[in-house]
Short mmCIF file of all heavy atoms in Angstrom, two decimals:
data_model
loop_
_atom_site.label_atom_id
_atom_site.label_comp_id
_atom_site.label_asym_id
_atom_site.label_seq_id
_atom_site.Cartn_x
_atom_site.Cartn_y
_atom_site.Cartn_z
N LEU W 16 -63.02 -39.01 -22.70
CA LEU W 16 -61.92 -38.72 -21.72
C LEU W 16 -60.70 -39.56 -22.01
O LEU W 16 -60.77 -40.78 -22.09
CB LEU W 16 -62.41 -38.92 -20.31
CG LEU W 16 -61.46 -38.62 -19.20
CD1 LEU W 16 -61.20 -37.11 -19.14
CD2 LEU W 16 -62.00 -39.07 -17.83
N LEU W 17 -59.58 -38.85 -22.24
CA LEU W 17 -58.30 -39.57 -22.40
C LEU W 17 -57.53 -39.69 -21.12
O LEU W 17 -56.48 -40.27 -21.05
CB LEU W 17 -57.44 -38.83 -23.47
CG LEU W 17 -58.02 -38.79 -24.83
CD1 LEU W 17 -57.12 -37.93 -25.79
CD2 LEU W 17 -58.13 -40.18 -25.41
N GLY W 18 -58.06 -39.11 -20.09
CA GLY W 18 -57.40 -39.16 -18.82
C GLY W 18 -57.14 -37.79 -18.29
O GLY W 18 -57.13 -36.83 -19.00
N HIS W 19 -56.88 -37.76 -16.99
CA HIS W 19 -56.55 -36.47 -16.37
C HIS W 19 -55.08 -36.28 -16.48
O HIS W 19 -54.29 -37.22 -16.36
CB HIS W 19 -56.98 -36.49 -14.85
CG HIS W 19 -58.44 -36.46 -14.65
ND1 HIS W 19 -59.18 -35.36 -14.92
CD2 HIS W 19 -59.26 -37.37 -14.17
CE1 HIS W 19 -60.43 -35.61 -14.60
NE2 HIS W 19 -60.56 -36.83 -14.17
N GLY W 20 -54.70 -35.09 -16.72
CA GLY W 20 -53.27 -34.73 -16.67
C GLY W 20 -52.85 -34.41 -15.26
O GLY W 20 -53.31 -35.07 -14.33
N GLU W 21 -52.03 -33.48 -15.08
CA GLU W 21 -51.51 -33.14 -13.78
C GLU W 21 -52.62 -32.61 -12.87
O GLU W 21 -53.59 -32.02 -13.34
CB GLU W 21 -50.41 -32.10 -13.90
CG GLU W 21 -49.19 -32.60 -14.68
CD GLU W 21 -48.41 -33.66 -13.92
OE1 GLU W 21 -48.22 -33.51 -12.69
OE2 GLU W 21 -48.05 -34.66 -14.53
N MET W 22 -52.45 -32.76 -11.58
CA MET W 22 -53.29 -32.23 -10.57
C MET W 22 -52.50 -31.59 -9.47
O MET W 22 -51.35 -32.00 -9.21
CB MET W 22 -54.12 -33.33 -9.90
CG MET W 22 -55.06 -34.06 -10.81
SD MET W 22 -56.01 -35.29 -9.95
CE MET W 22 -57.11 -34.36 -8.91
N GLN W 23 -53.00 -30.50 -8.91
CA GLN W 23 -52.34 -29.81 -7.76
C GLN W 23 -53.36 -29.64 -6.69
O GLN W 23 -54.32 -28.87 -6.87
CB GLN W 23 -51.63 -28.53 -8.17
CG GLN W 23 -50.82 -28.00 -7.00
CD GLN W 23 -50.01 -26.77 -7.38
OE1 GLN W 23 -50.40 -25.99 -8.23
NE2 GLN W 23 -48.90 -26.59 -6.71
N SER W 24 -53.16 -30.33 -5.56
CA SER W 24 -54.15 -30.22 -4.47
C SER W 24 -53.78 -29.04 -3.57
O SER W 24 -52.68 -28.60 -3.45
CB SER W 24 -54.11 -31.46 -3.60
OG SER W 24 -54.51 -32.60 -4.38
N ILE W 25 -54.86 -28.51 -2.94
CA ILE W 25 -54.57 -27.47 -1.90
C ILE W 25 -54.07 -28.18 -0.64
O ILE W 25 -54.33 -29.36 -0.45
CB ILE W 25 -55.82 -26.62 -1.61
CG1 ILE W 25 -56.96 -27.46 -0.96
CG2 ILE W 25 -56.30 -25.82 -2.82
CD1 ILE W 25 -58.14 -26.63 -0.47
N PRO W 26 -53.27 -27.54 0.20
CA PRO W 26 -52.71 -28.15 1.38
C PRO W 26 -53.83 -28.51 2.35
O PRO W 26 -54.94 -27.95 2.35
CB PRO W 26 -51.81 -27.03 1.97
CG PRO W 26 -51.63 -26.03 0.89
CD PRO W 26 -52.79 -26.13 0.00
N LYS W 27 -53.53 -29.50 3.19
CA LYS W 27 -54.46 -29.92 4.20
C LYS W 27 -54.59 -28.76 5.27
O LYS W 27 -53.61 -28.09 5.51
CB LYS W 27 -54.05 -31.16 4.93
CG LYS W 27 -53.97 -32.36 3.95
CD LYS W 27 -55.34 -32.63 3.31
CE LYS W 27 -55.22 -33.80 2.35
NZ LYS W 27 -56.31 -33.82 1.40
N GLY W 28 -55.75 -28.63 5.77
CA GLY W 28 -55.96 -27.51 6.74
C GLY W 28 -56.58 -26.31 6.01
O GLY W 28 -57.04 -26.42 4.88
N VAL W 29 -56.49 -25.18 6.67
CA VAL W 29 -57.11 -23.95 6.14
C VAL W 29 -56.04 -23.16 5.38
O VAL W 29 -54.97 -22.92 5.88
CB VAL W 29 -57.69 -23.06 7.26
CG1 VAL W 29 -58.23 -21.75 6.69
CG2 VAL W 29 -58.77 -23.80 8.06
N THR W 30 -56.37 -22.79 4.16
CA THR W 30 -55.63 -21.86 3.35
C THR W 30 -56.46 -20.68 3.09
O THR W 30 -57.20 -20.65 2.12
CB THR W 30 -55.13 -22.50 2.06
OG1 THR W 30 -54.47 -23.74 2.32
CG2 THR W 30 -54.26 -21.58 1.20
N ASP W 31 -56.38 -19.61 3.93
CA ASP W 31 -57.24 -18.49 3.82
C ASP W 31 -56.73 -17.55 2.72
O ASP W 31 -57.52 -16.92 2.00
CB ASP W 31 -57.28 -17.69 5.14
CG ASP W 31 -58.14 -18.27 6.11
OD1 ASP W 31 -59.23 -18.87 5.76
OD2 ASP W 31 -57.87 -18.15 7.38
N ASP W 32 -55.40 -17.39 2.61
CA ASP W 32 -54.81 -16.50 1.58
C ASP W 32 -54.83 -17.22 0.26
O ASP W 32 -54.62 -18.42 0.15
CB ASP W 32 -53.45 -16.10 1.98
CG ASP W 32 -53.42 -15.23 3.20
OD1 ASP W 32 -54.36 -14.50 3.45
OD2 ASP W 32 -52.38 -15.34 3.96
N TRP W 33 -55.03 -16.43 -0.87
CA TRP W 33 -54.91 -16.99 -2.16
C TRP W 33 -53.53 -17.55 -2.42
O TRP W 33 -52.55 -16.95 -2.03
CB TRP W 33 -55.23 -15.93 -3.24
CG TRP W 33 -56.69 -15.58 -3.24
CD1 TRP W 33 -57.22 -14.39 -2.74
CD2 TRP W 33 -57.80 -16.31 -3.74
NE1 TRP W 33 -58.60 -14.42 -2.92
CE2 TRP W 33 -58.96 -15.58 -3.57
CE3 TRP W 33 -57.89 -17.57 -4.38
CZ2 TRP W 33 -60.25 -16.03 -3.91
CZ3 TRP W 33 -59.16 -18.03 -4.73
CH2 TRP W 33 -60.29 -17.25 -4.52
N ARG W 34 -53.49 -18.66 -3.03
CA ARG W 34 -52.21 -19.41 -3.38
C ARG W 34 -52.15 -19.73 -4.85
O ARG W 34 -53.11 -20.23 -5.36
CB ARG W 34 -52.20 -20.66 -2.47
CG ARG W 34 -51.08 -21.58 -2.68
CD ARG W 34 -51.36 -22.88 -1.86
NE ARG W 34 -50.21 -23.75 -1.94
CZ ARG W 34 -49.36 -23.94 -0.96
NH1 ARG W 34 -49.52 -23.34 0.21
NH2 ARG W 34 -48.32 -24.76 -1.11
N LEU W 35 -51.03 -19.42 -5.49
CA LEU W 35 -50.91 -19.75 -6.91
C LEU W 35 -50.65 -21.17 -7.13
O LEU W 35 -49.76 -21.82 -6.57
CB LEU W 35 -49.77 -18.92 -7.48
CG LEU W 35 -49.52 -19.12 -8.99
CD1 LEU W 35 -50.74 -18.62 -9.81
CD2 LEU W 35 -48.28 -18.35 -9.41
N ALA W 36 -51.52 -21.83 -7.99
CA ALA W 36 -51.33 -23.22 -8.40
C ALA W 36 -51.00 -23.17 -9.88
O ALA W 36 -51.59 -22.47 -10.67
CB ALA W 36 -52.64 -23.99 -8.15
N VAL W 37 -49.96 -23.90 -10.22
CA VAL W 37 -49.45 -23.94 -11.64
C VAL W 37 -49.31 -25.41 -12.04
O VAL W 37 -48.62 -26.15 -11.36
CB VAL W 37 -48.10 -23.23 -11.72
CG1 VAL W 37 -47.62 -23.28 -13.14
CG2 VAL W 37 -48.23 -21.76 -11.28
N LEU W 38 -49.88 -25.72 -13.21
CA LEU W 38 -49.70 -27.06 -13.77
C LEU W 38 -49.25 -26.98 -15.22
O LEU W 38 -49.56 -26.03 -15.94
CB LEU W 38 -51.10 -27.75 -13.82
CG LEU W 38 -51.84 -27.92 -12.52
CD1 LEU W 38 -53.22 -28.44 -12.85
CD2 LEU W 38 -51.13 -28.89 -11.64
N ALA W 39 -48.47 -27.96 -15.64
CA ALA W 39 -48.09 -28.10 -17.03
C ALA W 39 -48.12 -29.52 -17.38
O ALA W 39 -47.70 -30.41 -16.63
CB ALA W 39 -46.67 -27.54 -17.22
N ASP W 40 -48.62 -29.86 -18.60
CA ASP W 40 -48.73 -31.26 -19.08
C ASP W 40 -48.83 -31.22 -20.56
O ASP W 40 -49.34 -30.34 -21.15
CB ASP W 40 -49.88 -31.95 -18.45
CG ASP W 40 -49.77 -33.49 -18.42
OD1 ASP W 40 -48.66 -33.98 -18.83
OD2 ASP W 40 -50.72 -34.15 -17.99
N GLN W 41 -48.32 -32.32 -21.16
CA GLN W 41 -48.34 -32.52 -22.59
C GLN W 41 -49.54 -33.29 -22.97
O GLN W 41 -49.85 -34.34 -22.36
CB GLN W 41 -47.09 -33.23 -23.07
CG GLN W 41 -46.94 -33.25 -24.56
CD GLN W 41 -45.59 -33.78 -24.95
OE1 GLN W 41 -44.80 -34.27 -24.18
NE2 GLN W 41 -45.30 -33.66 -26.24
N ALA W 42 -50.32 -32.83 -23.98
CA ALA W 42 -51.54 -33.52 -24.46
C ALA W 42 -51.17 -34.91 -24.94
O ALA W 42 -50.25 -35.03 -25.75
CB ALA W 42 -52.27 -32.72 -25.46
N PRO W 43 -51.87 -35.94 -24.55
CA PRO W 43 -51.59 -37.30 -25.00
C PRO W 43 -52.01 -37.54 -26.47
O PRO W 43 -52.74 -36.71 -27.07
CB PRO W 43 -52.38 -38.21 -24.07
CG PRO W 43 -53.50 -37.35 -23.66
CD PRO W 43 -52.98 -35.93 -23.59
N GLN W 44 -51.51 -38.60 -27.10
CA GLN W 44 -51.88 -38.94 -28.47
C GLN W 44 -53.41 -39.00 -28.58
O GLN W 44 -54.08 -39.59 -27.69
CB GLN W 44 -51.26 -40.30 -28.72
CG GLN W 44 -51.40 -40.68 -30.17
CD GLN W 44 -50.57 -39.80 -31.15
OE1 GLN W 44 -49.63 -39.24 -30.75
NE2 GLN W 44 -51.03 -39.74 -32.38
N GLY W 45 -53.94 -38.46 -29.63
CA GLY W 45 -55.39 -38.44 -29.86
C GLY W 45 -56.11 -37.30 -29.23
O GLY W 45 -57.34 -37.17 -29.42
N ALA W 46 -55.48 -36.45 -28.45
CA ALA W 46 -56.15 -35.30 -27.78
C ALA W 46 -56.58 -34.31 -28.80
O ALA W 46 -55.88 -33.95 -29.74
CB ALA W 46 -55.25 -34.69 -26.72
N ALA W 47 -57.82 -33.80 -28.68
CA ALA W 47 -58.32 -32.71 -29.51
C ALA W 47 -58.77 -31.52 -28.66
O ALA W 47 -58.89 -30.42 -29.14
CB ALA W 47 -59.50 -33.21 -30.35
N TRP W 48 -59.01 -31.77 -27.37
CA TRP W 48 -59.46 -30.73 -26.50
C TRP W 48 -58.70 -30.86 -25.15
O TRP W 48 -58.37 -31.91 -24.68
CB TRP W 48 -61.03 -30.90 -26.14
CG TRP W 48 -61.82 -30.85 -27.36
CD1 TRP W 48 -62.27 -31.93 -28.10
CD2 TRP W 48 -62.34 -29.65 -28.01
NE1 TRP W 48 -63.02 -31.48 -29.16
CE2 TRP W 48 -63.11 -30.09 -29.13
CE3 TRP W 48 -62.22 -28.34 -27.74
CZ2 TRP W 48 -63.71 -29.20 -29.95
CZ3 TRP W 48 -62.88 -27.43 -28.56
CH2 TRP W 48 -63.65 -27.88 -29.69
N VAL W 49 -58.51 -29.71 -24.52
CA VAL W 49 -57.91 -29.63 -23.22
C VAL W 49 -58.76 -28.68 -22.36
O VAL W 49 -59.27 -27.69 -22.86
CB VAL W 49 -56.44 -29.13 -23.23
CG1 VAL W 49 -56.31 -27.75 -23.87
CG2 VAL W 49 -55.78 -29.17 -21.85
N GLY W 50 -58.89 -29.02 -21.10
CA GLY W 50 -59.65 -28.16 -20.19
C GLY W 50 -58.98 -28.11 -18.86
O GLY W 50 -58.17 -29.00 -18.47
N VAL W 51 -59.26 -27.09 -18.11
CA VAL W 51 -58.75 -26.88 -16.76
C VAL W 51 -59.95 -26.81 -15.86
O VAL W 51 -61.00 -26.16 -16.23
CB VAL W 51 -57.83 -25.70 -16.61
CG1 VAL W 51 -58.49 -24.40 -16.98
CG2 VAL W 51 -57.18 -25.61 -15.23
N GLY W 52 -59.86 -27.32 -14.67
CA GLY W 52 -61.02 -27.28 -13.72
C GLY W 52 -60.61 -27.54 -12.31
O GLY W 52 -59.40 -27.76 -12.04
#
């Protein structure tokens, strides 16, 4: 693990409707793999 990139949390409380989350980040030096979760 080289570290976590950007994170986007869901708002506090109930979010019943689907909400679009968008992240962008540059892979750090030495990165060979990237994943989203």
